[in-house]
Coordinates of all heavy atoms in Angstrom, one line a residue:
M1149 N -22.0 51.6 9.7 CA -21.0 50.5 9.8 C -21.8 49.2 10.0 O -22.5 49.0 10.9 CB -20.2 50.7 11.0 CG -19.2 51.9 10.8 SD -18.4 52.3 12.3 CE -17.1 51.1 12.3
G1150 N -21.5 48.3 9.0 CA -22.1 47.0 9.1 C -21.1 46.0 9.4 O -20.0 46.0 8.8
F1151 N -21.4 45.2 10.4 CA -20.6 44.1 10.8 C -21.2 42.8 10.2 O -22.4 42.6 10.3 CB -20.5 43.9 12.2 CG -19.6 45.0 12.9 CD1 -20.2 46.1 13.6 CD2 -18.3 44.9 12.8 CE1 -19.4 47.0 14.1 CE2 -17.5 45.9 13.4 CZ -18.0 47.0 14.0
E1152 N -20.4 42.1 9.6 CA -20.9 40.8 9.0 C -20.6 39.7 10.0 O -19.6 39.5 10.5 CB -20.1 40.5 7.8 CG -20.6 39.4 7.0 CD -19.9 39.2 5.7 OE1 -19.5 40.2 5.0 OE2 -19.7 38.1 5.3
V1153 N -21.6 39.0 10.3 CA -21.5 37.9 11.3 C -21.4 36.6 10.5 O -22.2 36.3 9.6 CB -22.8 37.7 12.2 CG1 -22.7 36.5 13.1 CG2 -23.0 39.1 13.0
K1154 N -20.3 36.0 10.7 CA -20.0 34.7 9.9 C -20.5 33.5 10.8 O -20.2 33.5 12.0 CB -18.5 34.6 9.6 CG -18.1 35.6 8.7 CD -16.6 35.3 8.2 CE -16.1 36.3 7.2 NZ -14.8 36.1 6.9
E1155 N -21.0 32.6 10.1 CA -21.4 31.3 10.7 C -20.1 30.5 11.0 O -19.1 30.6 10.2 CB -22.3 30.4 9.8 CG -23.6 31.1 9.5 CD -24.6 30.6 10.5 OE1 -24.5 29.5 11.1 OE2 -25.6 31.4 10.7
P1156 N -20.0 29.9 12.1 CA -18.8 29.1 12.4 C -18.7 28.0 11.4 O -19.7 27.4 10.9 CB -19.0 28.5 13.7 CG -20.5 28.7 14.1 CD -21.0 29.8 13.2
K1157 N -17.5 27.6 11.0 CA -17.3 26.6 10.0 C -17.7 25.3 10.7 O -17.3 25.0 11.8 CB -15.8 26.5 9.6 CG -15.4 27.7 8.7 CD -14.1 27.4 8.1 CE -13.7 28.6 7.2 NZ -12.3 28.4 6.7
R1158 N -18.4 24.5 10.0 CA -18.9 23.2 10.5 C -17.9 22.1 9.9 O -17.6 22.2 8.7 CB -20.2 22.9 10.0 CG -21.3 23.7 10.7 CD -22.6 23.1 10.7 NE -23.5 24.0 11.6 CZ -24.6 24.5 11.2 NH1 -25.0 24.3 9.9 NH2 -25.4 25.1 12.0
R1159 N -17.5 21.4 10.9 CA -16.5 20.3 10.4 C -17.3 19.2 9.8 O -18.3 18.7 10.4 CB -15.8 19.7 11.6 CG -14.8 20.7 12.2 CD -14.0 20.1 13.3 NE -12.8 20.7 13.3 CZ -11.6 20.1 13.5 NH1 -11.6 18.8 13.9 NH2 -10.5 20.7 13.5
V1160 N -16.9 18.7 8.6 CA -17.4 17.6 8.0 C -16.6 16.4 8.5 O -15.5 16.3 8.2 CB -17.4 17.8 6.4 CG1 -18.0 16.6 5.8 CG2 -18.1 19.0 6.0
P1161 N -17.3 15.4 9.1 CA -16.6 14.3 9.6 C -16.0 13.5 8.4 O -16.6 13.3 7.4 CB -17.6 13.5 10.3 CG -18.9 14.0 9.9 CD -18.7 15.4 9.3
K1162 N -14.7 13.1 8.6 CA -14.1 12.3 7.6 C -14.7 10.8 7.7 O -15.0 10.4 8.8 CB -12.6 12.2 7.8 CG -12.0 13.6 7.5 CD -10.5 13.5 7.6 CE -9.9 14.9 7.3 NZ -8.4 14.8 7.5
P1163 N -14.7 10.2 6.5 CA -15.2 8.8 6.7 C -14.2 8.0 7.4 O -13.0 8.2 7.5 CB -15.2 8.3 5.2 CG -14.4 9.3 4.5 CD -14.4 10.6 5.2
P1164 N -14.7 6.9 8.1 CA -13.8 6.1 8.9 C -12.6 5.5 8.1 O -13.0 5.1 6.9 CB -14.6 5.1 9.6 CG -15.9 5.1 8.8 CD -16.0 6.4 8.2
V1165 N -11.5 5.5 8.5 CA -10.3 4.9 7.8 C -9.8 3.8 8.6 O -9.6 3.8 9.7 CB -9.3 6.0 7.7 CG1 -8.1 5.3 6.9 CG2 -9.8 7.1 6.8
S1166 N -9.7 2.6 7.9 CA -9.1 1.5 8.6 C -7.9 0.9 7.8 O -7.8 1.0 6.6 CB -10.2 0.4 8.7 OG -10.7 0.0 7.5
Q1167 N -7.1 0.2 8.6 CA -5.9 -0.4 7.9 C -6.3 -1.6 7.1 O -7.2 -2.3 7.4 CB -4.9 -0.8 9.0 CG -3.7 -1.3 8.4 CD -2.6 -1.6 9.5 OE1 -2.8 -1.2 10.7 NE2 -1.5 -2.1 9.1
L1168 N -5.7 -1.7 6.0 CA -6.0 -2.9 5.1 C -5.5 -4.2 5.9 O -4.5 -4.2 6.6 CB -5.2 -2.8 3.8 CG -5.6 -1.8 2.8 CD1 -4.6 -1.6 1.7 CD2 -7.0 -2.1 2.3
T1169 N -6.3 -5.3 5.8 CA -5.9 -6.5 6.4 C -4.9 -7.2 5.6 O -4.7 -6.8 4.3 CB -7.2 -7.4 6.5 OG1 -7.6 -7.8 5.2 CG2 -8.3 -6.8 7.2
E1170 N -4.3 -8.2 6.1 CA -3.2 -9.0 5.4 C -3.9 -9.7 4.2 O -3.3 -9.8 3.1 CB -2.6 -10.0 6.3 CG -1.7 -9.3 7.3 CD -0.8 -10.2 8.1 OE1 -0.8 -11.5 7.8 OE2 -0.2 -9.8 9.1
E1171 N -5.1 -10.1 4.3 CA -5.8 -10.7 3.1 C -6.1 -9.7 2.0 O -5.9 -10.0 0.8 CB -7.2 -11.4 3.6 CG -7.1 -12.5 4.5 CD -6.7 -12.1 6.0 OE1 -7.0 -11.0 6.4 OE2 -6.1 -12.9 6.7
Q1172 N -6.4 -8.5 2.4 CA -6.7 -7.4 1.3 C -5.3 -7.1 0.7 O -5.3 -7.0 -0.5 CB -7.3 -6.2 2.0 CG -8.7 -6.4 2.5 CD -9.2 -5.2 3.3 OE1 -8.5 -4.7 4.2 NE2 -10.4 -4.8 3.0
L1173 N -4.2 -7.1 1.4 CA -3.0 -6.8 0.8 C -2.5 -7.9 -0.1 O -2.1 -7.7 -1.3 CB -1.9 -6.6 1.9 CG -2.0 -5.3 2.7 CD1 -1.1 -5.4 4.0 CD2 -1.6 -4.1 1.8
R1174 N -2.8 -9.2 0.3 CA -2.5 -10.3 -0.5 C -3.2 -10.2 -1.9 O -2.7 -10.4 -2.9 CB -2.8 -11.6 0.2 CG -2.6 -12.9 -0.6 CD -2.9 -14.1 0.1 NE -2.2 -14.2 1.4 CZ -1.0 -14.6 1.5 NH1 -0.3 -15.0 0.5 NH2 -0.5 -14.7 2.8
A1175 N -4.5 -9.8 -1.8 CA -5.3 -9.7 -3.0 C -4.7 -8.6 -3.9 O -4.7 -8.8 -5.2 CB -6.7 -9.4 -2.7
I1176 N -4.3 -7.5 -3.4 CA -3.8 -6.4 -4.2 C -2.5 -6.9 -4.8 O -2.3 -6.6 -6.0 CB -3.6 -5.2 -3.4 CG1 -4.9 -4.5 -3.0 CG2 -2.7 -4.1 -4.0 CD1 -4.9 -3.5 -1.9
F1177 N -1.6 -7.5 -4.1 CA -0.3 -8.0 -4.7 C -0.6 -9.0 -5.7 O 0.1 -9.0 -6.8 CB 0.6 -8.5 -3.6 CG 1.2 -7.4 -2.8 CD1 1.0 -7.3 -1.4 CD2 2.0 -6.4 -3.4 CE1 1.6 -6.3 -0.7 CE2 2.6 -5.4 -2.7 CZ 2.4 -5.3 -1.3
M1178 N -1.5 -9.9 -5.5 CA -1.8 -11.0 -6.6 C -2.4 -10.3 -7.8 O -2.1 -10.8 -8.9 CB -2.7 -12.0 -6.0 CG -2.1 -12.8 -4.8 SD -0.5 -13.5 -5.2 CE -0.9 -14.7 -6.5
Q1179 N -3.2 -9.3 -7.7 CA -3.7 -8.6 -8.8 C -2.6 -7.9 -9.6 O -2.8 -7.7 -10.8 CB -4.8 -7.6 -8.4 CG -6.1 -8.2 -8.0 CD -7.0 -7.2 -7.3 OE1 -6.7 -6.0 -7.3 NE2 -8.2 -7.7 -6.9
A1180 N -1.5 -7.6 -9.0 CA -0.5 -6.8 -9.6 C 0.4 -7.8 -10.4 O 1.3 -7.3 -11.2 CB 0.5 -6.2 -8.5
D1181 N 0.2 -9.0 -10.3 CA 1.0 -10.0 -11.2 C 0.3 -10.0 -12.6 O -0.4 -10.9 -13.0 CB 0.9 -11.5 -10.5 CG 1.7 -12.5 -11.3 OD1 2.5 -12.0 -12.1 OD2 1.5 -13.7 -11.0
I1182 N 0.8 -9.0 -13.3 CA 0.1 -8.7 -14.6 C 0.4 -9.8 -15.6 O -0.6 -10.2 -16.3 CB 0.7 -7.4 -15.1 CG1 0.3 -6.3 -14.2 CG2 0.2 -7.1 -16.5 CD1 1.1 -5.0 -14.4
N1183 N 1.5 -10.5 -15.6 CA 1.7 -11.5 -16.7 C 1.4 -12.9 -16.1 O 1.6 -13.9 -16.8 CB 3.2 -11.5 -17.1 CG 4.2 -11.7 -16.0 OD1 3.8 -11.8 -14.8 ND2 5.5 -11.6 -16.3
K1184 N 0.8 -13.0 -14.9 CA 0.4 -14.3 -14.3 C 1.4 -15.4 -14.3 O 1.1 -16.5 -14.5 CB -0.9 -14.7 -15.1 CG -2.0 -13.7 -15.1 CD -2.6 -13.3 -13.7 CE -3.7 -12.3 -13.8 NZ -3.8 -11.5 -12.7
D1185 N 2.7 -15.0 -14.1 CA 3.7 -16.0 -13.9 C 3.9 -16.5 -12.5 O 4.8 -17.4 -12.3 CB 5.0 -15.4 -14.5 CG 5.6 -14.3 -13.8 OD1 4.9 -13.7 -12.9 OD2 6.7 -13.9 -14.1
G1186 N 3.1 -16.0 -11.6 CA 3.2 -16.5 -10.2 C 4.3 -15.8 -9.4 O 4.4 -16.2 -8.2
V1187 N 5.0 -14.9 -9.9 CA 6.0 -14.1 -9.2 C 5.8 -12.6 -9.4 O 5.2 -12.2 -10.4 CB 7.5 -14.5 -9.5 CG1 7.7 -15.9 -9.1 CG2 7.8 -14.3 -11.0
L1188 N 6.2 -11.8 -8.5 CA 6.1 -10.4 -8.6 C 7.5 -9.7 -8.9 O 8.4 -9.8 -8.2 CB 5.5 -9.8 -7.3 CG 4.1 -10.1 -7.1 CD1 3.7 -9.7 -5.6 CD2 3.1 -9.6 -8.0
S1189 N 7.5 -9.1 -10.1 CA 8.8 -8.4 -10.4 C 8.7 -7.0 -9.8 O 7.7 -6.6 -9.2 CB 8.8 -8.2 -12.0 OG 7.8 -7.3 -12.4
K1190 N 9.8 -6.4 -9.9 CA 10.0 -5.0 -9.3 C 8.9 -4.1 -10.0 O 8.3 -3.3 -9.3 CB 11.4 -4.4 -9.5 CG 11.6 -3.2 -8.7 CD 13.1 -2.8 -8.8 CE 13.4 -1.5 -8.0 NZ 14.8 -1.2 -8.1
K1191 N 8.8 -4.2 -11.2 CA 7.8 -3.4 -11.9 C 6.3 -3.7 -11.4 O 5.5 -2.7 -11.2 CB 7.8 -3.7 -13.5 CG 6.9 -2.8 -14.3 CD 7.0 -3.2 -15.7 CE 6.0 -2.4 -16.7 NZ 6.2 -2.7 -18.0
E1192 N 6.0 -4.9 -11.2 CA 4.7 -5.3 -10.7 C 4.5 -4.8 -9.2 O 3.5 -4.3 -8.9 CB 4.5 -6.8 -10.8 CG 4.4 -7.3 -12.3 CD 4.4 -8.7 -12.4 OE1 5.2 -9.5 -11.6 OE2 3.7 -9.3 -13.3
L1193 N 5.6 -4.9 -8.4 CA 5.6 -4.4 -7.1 C 5.4 -2.8 -7.1 O 4.6 -2.3 -6.3 CB 6.8 -4.7 -6.3 CG 7.1 -6.1 -6.0 CD1 8.4 -6.3 -5.3 CD2 6.0 -6.6 -5.0
K1194 N 6.0 -2.2 -8.0 CA 5.8 -0.7 -8.1 C 4.3 -0.4 -8.4 O 3.8 0.5 -7.8 CB 6.7 -0.2 -9.2 CG 6.6 1.4 -9.5 CD 7.5 1.8 -10.6 CE 7.3 3.2 -10.9 NZ 8.1 3.7 -12.0
H1195 N 3.7 -1.2 -9.3 CA 2.3 -1.0 -9.6 C 1.4 -1.2 -8.4 O 0.5 -0.4 -8.1 CB 1.9 -2.0 -10.7 CG 0.5 -1.9 -11.1 ND1 -0.1 -0.9 -11.8 CD2 -0.5 -2.8 -10.9 CE1 -1.4 -1.1 -11.9 NE2 -1.7 -2.2 -11.4
A1196 N 1.7 -2.3 -7.6 CA 0.9 -2.6 -6.4 C 1.1 -1.5 -5.4 O 0.1 -1.1 -4.8 CB 1.4 -3.9 -5.9
F1197 N 2.3 -1.0 -5.1 CA 2.5 0.0 -4.1 C 1.8 1.3 -4.6 O 1.4 2.2 -3.8 CB 4.0 0.2 -3.8 CG 4.4 -0.8 -2.7 CD1 5.2 -1.9 -3.2 CD2 4.0 -0.8 -1.5 CE1 5.6 -2.8 -2.2 CE2 4.4 -1.7 -0.5 CZ 5.2 -2.7 -0.9
G1198 N 1.8 1.6 -5.9 CA 1.1 2.7 -6.4 C -0.4 2.6 -6.1 O -1.1 3.6 -5.7
R1199 N -0.9 1.5 -6.3 CA -2.4 1.2 -6.0 C -2.6 1.4 -4.5 O -3.7 1.8 -4.0 CB -2.8 -0.2 -6.4 CG -3.0 -0.3 -7.9 CD -3.7 -1.5 -8.3 NE -5.1 -1.6 -7.7 CZ -5.7 -2.7 -7.3 NH1 -5.1 -3.8 -7.6 NH2 -6.9 -2.7 -6.8
L1200 N -1.7 1.1 -3.6 CA -1.8 1.3 -2.2 C -1.6 2.7 -1.7 O -2.0 3.0 -0.6 CB -0.8 0.4 -1.5 CG -1.0 -1.1 -1.6 CD1 0.3 -1.9 -1.0 CD2 -2.2 -1.5 -0.8
G1201 N -1.2 3.6 -2.6 CA -1.1 5.0 -2.3 C 0.3 5.4 -1.8 O 0.4 6.4 -1.3
A1202 N 1.3 4.7 -2.1 CA 2.7 5.0 -1.7 C 3.1 6.3 -2.4 O 2.7 6.5 -3.6 CB 3.6 3.9 -2.2
L1203 N 3.7 7.2 -1.7 CA 4.1 8.5 -2.3 C 5.2 8.2 -3.4 O 5.2 8.9 -4.4 CB 4.7 9.4 -1.2 CG 3.7 9.9 -0.2 CD1 4.4 10.8 0.9 CD2 2.6 10.7 -0.9
I1204 N 6.1 7.3 -3.1 CA 7.2 7.0 -4.1 C 7.1 5.5 -4.3 O 7.9 4.7 -3.7 CB 8.5 7.4 -3.6 CG1 8.5 8.9 -3.3 CG2 9.6 7.1 -4.7 CD1 9.8 9.4 -2.6
P1205 N 6.3 4.9 -5.2 CA 6.0 3.5 -5.4 C 7.4 2.8 -5.7 O 7.5 1.6 -5.3 CB 5.0 3.4 -6.5 CG 4.3 4.8 -6.5 CD 5.3 5.7 -6.0
A1206 N 8.2 3.4 -6.5 CA 9.5 2.7 -6.9 C 10.3 2.4 -5.7 O 11.0 1.4 -5.6 CB 10.3 3.5 -7.9
F1207 N 10.3 3.3 -4.7 CA 11.1 3.2 -3.5 C 10.5 2.0 -2.7 O 11.3 1.1 -2.2 CB 11.2 4.4 -2.7 CG 11.8 4.3 -1.3 CD1 13.2 4.3 -1.2 CD2 11.0 4.2 -0.2 CE1 13.7 4.1 0.0 CE2 11.6 4.0 1.1 CZ 13.0 3.9 1.1
R1208 N 9.2 2.1 -2.5 CA 8.5 1.0 -1.7 C 8.7 -0.4 -2.4 O 8.9 -1.4 -1.8 CB 7.1 1.3 -1.5 CG 6.8 2.3 -0.5 CD 7.2 1.8 0.8 NE 7.3 3.0 1.8 CZ 8.2 3.1 2.8 NH1 9.0 2.1 3.0 NH2 8.2 4.1 3.5
A1209 N 8.7 -0.4 -3.7 CA 8.9 -1.6 -4.5 C 10.3 -2.2 -4.2 O 10.5 -3.4 -3.9 CB 8.7 -1.4 -6.0
A1210 N 11.3 -1.4 -4.3 CA 12.7 -1.7 -4.0 C 12.9 -2.2 -2.5 O 13.5 -3.3 -2.3 CB 13.6 -0.6 -4.3
R1211 N 12.3 -1.5 -1.6 CA 12.3 -1.9 -0.2 C 11.6 -3.2 0.0 O 12.1 -4.1 0.8 CB 11.8 -0.9 0.7 CG 12.7 0.4 0.7 CD 14.1 0.3 1.1 NE 14.3 -0.3 2.4 CZ 15.3 -1.0 2.7 NH1 16.4 -1.2 1.9 NH2 15.4 -1.5 4.0
G1212 N 10.5 -3.4 -0.6 CA 9.6 -4.6 -0.4 C 10.4 -5.8 -1.0 O 10.4 -6.9 -0.4
L1213 N 11.0 -5.6 -2.1 CA 11.8 -6.6 -2.7 C 13.0 -7.1 -1.8 O 13.2 -8.1 -1.6 CB 12.3 -6.2 -4.1 CG 13.0 -7.2 -5.0 CD1 12.0 -8.3 -5.3 CD2 13.4 -6.6 -6.3
H1214 N 13.6 -6.0 -1.2 CA 14.7 -6.3 -0.3 C 14.3 -7.1 0.9 O 15.0 -8.0 1.4 CB 15.3 -5.0 0.1 CG 16.3 -5.1 1.2 ND1 17.7 -5.5 1.0 CD2 16.3 -4.9 2.5 CE1 18.3 -5.5 2.1 NE2 17.6 -5.2 3.1
H1215 N 13.1 -6.8 1.4 CA 12.6 -7.4 2.6 C 12.1 -8.9 2.3 O 12.3 -9.8 3.1 CB 11.4 -6.7 3.2 CG 11.8 -5.5 4.1 ND1 12.2 -5.6 5.4 CD2 11.9 -4.2 3.7 CE1 12.6 -4.5 5.8 NE2 12.4 -3.6 4.8
A1216 N 11.5 -9.1 1.1 CA 10.8 -10.4 0.8 C 11.7 -11.3 0.0 O 11.4 -12.5 0.1 CB 9.5 -10.1 0.2
D1217 N 12.6 -10.9 -0.8 CA 13.3 -11.8 -1.7 C 14.4 -12.5 -1.0 O 15.6 -12.3 -1.1 CB 13.9 -10.9 -2.9 CG 14.5 -11.8 -4.0 OD1 14.2 -12.9 -4.0 OD2 15.2 -11.2 -4.8
A1218 N 14.0 -13.6 -0.4 CA 14.9 -14.4 0.4 C 15.9 -15.2 -0.4 O 17.1 -15.3 0.0 CB 14.1 -15.4 1.3
N1219 N 15.6 -15.6 -1.6 CA 16.6 -16.4 -2.4 C 17.3 -15.4 -3.4 O 18.1 -15.9 -4.2 CB 15.9 -17.5 -3.1 CG 14.8 -17.0 -4.1 OD1 14.6 -15.8 -4.3 ND2 14.1 -18.0 -4.7
H1220 N 17.1 -14.1 -3.4 CA 17.8 -13.1 -4.1 C 17.7 -13.4 -5.6 O 18.7 -13.2 -6.4 CB 19.3 -13.1 -3.7 CG 19.4 -12.8 -2.3 ND1 19.1 -11.6 -1.6 CD2 19.7 -13.6 -1.2 CE1 19.3 -11.6 -0.3 NE2 19.7 -12.9 -0.1
D1221 N 16.6 -13.8 -6.1 CA 16.4 -14.0 -7.5 C 15.8 -12.8 -8.3 O 15.5 -12.8 -9.4 CB 15.7 -15.3 -7.9 CG 14.2 -15.3 -7.3 OD1 13.8 -14.3 -6.6 OD2 13.4 -16.2 -7.6
G1222 N 15.5 -11.7 -7.6 CA 15.1 -10.5 -8.1 C 13.6 -10.5 -8.2 O 13.0 -9.5 -8.8
V1223 N 12.8 -11.5 -7.7 CA 11.3 -11.4 -7.8 C 10.8 -12.0 -6.5 O 11.6 -12.6 -5.7 CB 10.8 -12.3 -9.0 CG1 11.1 -11.6 -10.3 CG2 11.3 -13.7 -8.9
V1224 N 9.5 -11.7 -6.2 CA 8.9 -12.2 -5.0 C 8.0 -13.3 -5.5 O 7.0 -13.2 -6.1 CB 8.1 -11.1 -4.3 CG1 7.3 -11.7 -3.1 CG2 9.0 -10.0 -3.8
G1225 N 8.4 -14.6 -5.1 CA 7.6 -15.7 -5.4 C 6.6 -16.0 -4.3 O 6.5 -15.3 -3.3
K1226 N 5.7 -17.0 -4.6 CA 4.6 -17.3 -3.7 C 5.1 -17.6 -2.3 O 4.4 -17.3 -1.3 CB 3.7 -18.4 -4.2 CG 2.9 -18.0 -5.4 CD 1.8 -19.0 -5.7 CE 1.1 -18.7 -7.0 NZ 0.3 -17.6 -7.0
D1227 N 6.2 -18.3 -2.2 CA 6.7 -18.6 -0.9 C 7.3 -17.5 -0.1 O 7.5 -17.5 1.1 CB 7.8 -19.8 -1.0 CG 9.0 -19.4 -1.9 OD1 8.7 -18.6 -2.9 OD2 10.0 -19.8 -1.7
E1228 N 7.6 -16.4 -0.8 CA 8.1 -15.1 -0.2 C 7.1 -14.1 0.0 O 7.3 -13.1 0.5 CB 9.2 -14.5 -1.1 CG 10.3 -15.5 -1.3 CD 11.3 -15.1 -2.4 OE1 10.8 -14.6 -3.5 OE2 12.5 -15.3 -2.3
L1229 N 5.8 -14.4 -0.5 CA 4.8 -13.3 -0.5 C 4.4 -13.0 1.0 O 4.1 -11.8 1.2 CB 3.5 -13.9 -1.2 CG 2.4 -12.9 -1.5 CD1 2.9 -11.7 -2.2 CD2 1.2 -13.6 -2.2
D1230 N 4.5 -13.9 1.9 CA 4.1 -13.5 3.3 C 5.0 -12.5 3.8 O 4.5 -11.6 4.6 CB 4.1 -14.8 4.2 CG 2.9 -15.7 4.0 OD1 1.9 -15.2 3.3 OD2 3.0 -16.9 4.3
S1231 N 6.3 -12.5 3.5 CA 7.2 -11.5 4.0 C 6.9 -10.1 3.4 O 6.9 -9.1 4.1 CB 8.7 -11.9 3.6 OG 9.0 -13.1 4.3
L1232 N 6.5 -10.1 2.1 CA 6.1 -8.9 1.5 C 4.8 -8.3 2.2 O 4.8 -7.1 2.4 CB 5.9 -9.1 0.0 CG 5.4 -7.9 -0.7 CD1 6.5 -6.8 -0.8 CD2 5.1 -8.3 -2.2
I1233 N 3.9 -9.2 2.5 CA 2.6 -8.7 3.1 C 2.9 -8.2 4.5 O 2.3 -7.1 4.9 CB 1.7 -9.9 3.1 CG1 1.2 -10.2 1.6 CG2 0.4 -9.5 4.0 CD1 0.4 -11.5 1.5
K1234 N 3.8 -8.9 5.2 CA 4.1 -8.3 6.6 C 4.8 -7.0 6.5 O 4.5 -6.1 7.2 CB 5.0 -9.4 7.3 CG 4.2 -10.6 7.8 CD 5.0 -11.5 8.5 CE 4.3 -12.6 9.2 NZ 4.0 -13.8 8.4
Y1235 N 5.7 -6.8 5.5 CA 6.3 -5.5 5.3 C 5.3 -4.5 4.9 O 5.3 -3.3 5.7 CB 7.3 -5.6 4.1 CG 7.9 -4.3 3.7 CD1 8.7 -3.5 4.4 CD2 7.4 -3.8 2.4 CE1 9.2 -2.4 3.9 CE2 7.9 -2.5 2.0 CZ 8.8 -1.8 2.7 OH 9.2 -0.6 2.3
A1236 N 4.4 -4.7 4.1 CA 3.4 -3.7 3.7 C 2.4 -3.4 4.8 O 2.0 -2.3 5.1 CB 2.6 -4.2 2.4
Y1237 N 2.1 -4.5 5.6 CA 1.2 -4.3 6.7 C 1.8 -3.4 7.8 O 1.1 -2.5 8.4 CB 0.8 -5.6 7.3 CG -0.3 -5.6 8.4 CD1 -1.6 -5.5 8.0 CD2 0.1 -5.6 9.7 CE1 -2.6 -5.4 9.0 CE2 -0.9 -5.6 10.7 CZ -2.2 -5.5 10.3 OH -3.2 -5.4 11.3
R1238 N 3.1 -3.5 8.0 CA 3.8 -2.7 9.0 C 3.8 -1.2 8.6 O 3.8 -0.3 9.4 CB 5.2 -3.2 9.2 CG 5.4 -4.4 10.1 CD 6.8 -4.5 10.5 NE 7.8 -4.5 9.4 CZ 8.3 -5.5 8.7 NH1 7.9 -6.7 8.9 NH2 9.1 -5.3 7.7
L1239 N 3.7 -1.0 7.3 CA 3.6 0.4 6.8 C 2.3 1.0 7.0 O 2.2 2.3 7.0 CB 4.0 0.5 5.3 CG 5.4 0.1 4.9 CD1 5.6 0.0 3.4 CD2 6.4 1.0 5.5
G1240 N 1.3 0.2 7.3 CA 0.0 0.8 7.8 C -0.9 1.4 6.6 O -1.5 2.4 6.8
Y1241 N -0.8 0.8 5.5 CA -1.7 1.3 4.4 C -3.1 1.2 4.8 O -3.6 0.3 5.4 CB -1.4 0.5 3.0 CG -0.1 1.0 2.4 CD1 1.0 0.1 2.5 CD2 0.1 2.2 1.8 CE1 2.2 0.5 2.0 CE2 1.2 2.6 1.3 CZ 2.4 1.7 1.3 OH 3.5 2.1 0.8
K1242 N -3.9 2.3 4.4 CA -5.3 2.4 4.8 C -6.1 2.4 3.6 O -5.8 2.7 2.5 CB -5.4 3.7 5.6 CG -4.5 4.0 6.6 CD -4.9 3.6 8.0 CE -4.1 4.1 9.1 NZ -3.3 3.1 9.8
V1243 N -7.4 2.0 3.9 CA -8.5 2.1 2.9 C -9.5 3.1 3.4 O -9.9 3.1 4.7 CB -9.1 0.7 2.6 CG1 -9.8 0.1 3.8 CG2 -10.0 0.7 1.5
A1244 N -10.0 3.9 2.6 CA -10.9 5.0 3.0 C -12.4 4.5 2.8 O -12.6 3.7 1.8 CB -10.7 6.2 2.3

């Protein structure tokens, strides 16, 4: 009868994870302005939240637009960008 002795599994430490800063979020949102018109459409927001790792980017885009679109014109302008960044920051997106 042979017993097999197994080595204990060694935990591989995960790399440190930190929350994105507001400046990093701003850069990601500005890069999402694909047509460079200075405003973020729902489609561009969806792209940005996808890059951030949202499970359902379309949902986050709709919620982000709801939070940030103060003048209800259907886009997030430069004057509304701070509200969008605060919304995304509260969600706690991380960078690995």
Side-chain angles (χ1 to χ4, degrees):
M1149 287 172 83
F1151 289 100
E1152 189 175 322
V1153 177
K1154 292 186 178 180
E1155 294 269 337
K1157 288 186 180 180
R1158 291 203 170 122
R1159 290 183 152 217
V1160 177
K1162 292 183 179 180
V1165 176
S1166 61
Q1167 184 170 355
L1168 290 169
T1169 65
E1170 290 186 14
E1171 292 79 24
Q1172 290 170 317
L1173 288 168
R1174 180 180 303 278
I1176 289 169
F1177 284 121
M1178 293 310 294
Q1179 289 170 0
D1181 184 13
I1182 297 166
N1183 60 2
K1184 305 296 181 207
D1185 62 352
V1187 296
L1188 294 170
S1189 66
K1190 190 173 180 182
K1191 181 179 178 180
E1192 291 168 329
L1193 288 173
K1194 180 180 172 184
H1195 176 73
F1197 278 106
R1199 286 193 59 209
L1200 289 170
L1203 293 177
I1204 306 172
F1207 174 77
R1208 286 292 165 216
R1211 296 303 301 157
L1213 191 59
H1214 173 78
H1215 282 277
D1217 187 17
N1219 62 5
H1220 306 288
D1221 62 353
V1223 294
V1224 176
K1226 290 196 186 287
D1227 56 329
E1228 300 165 323
L1229 190 58
D1230 286 340
S1231 295
L1232 178 66
I1233 291 167
K1234 284 182 173 89
Y1235 167 73
Y1237 188 78
R1238 282 193 314 264
L1239 294 173
Y1241 286 106
K1242 311 267 190 249
V1243 63

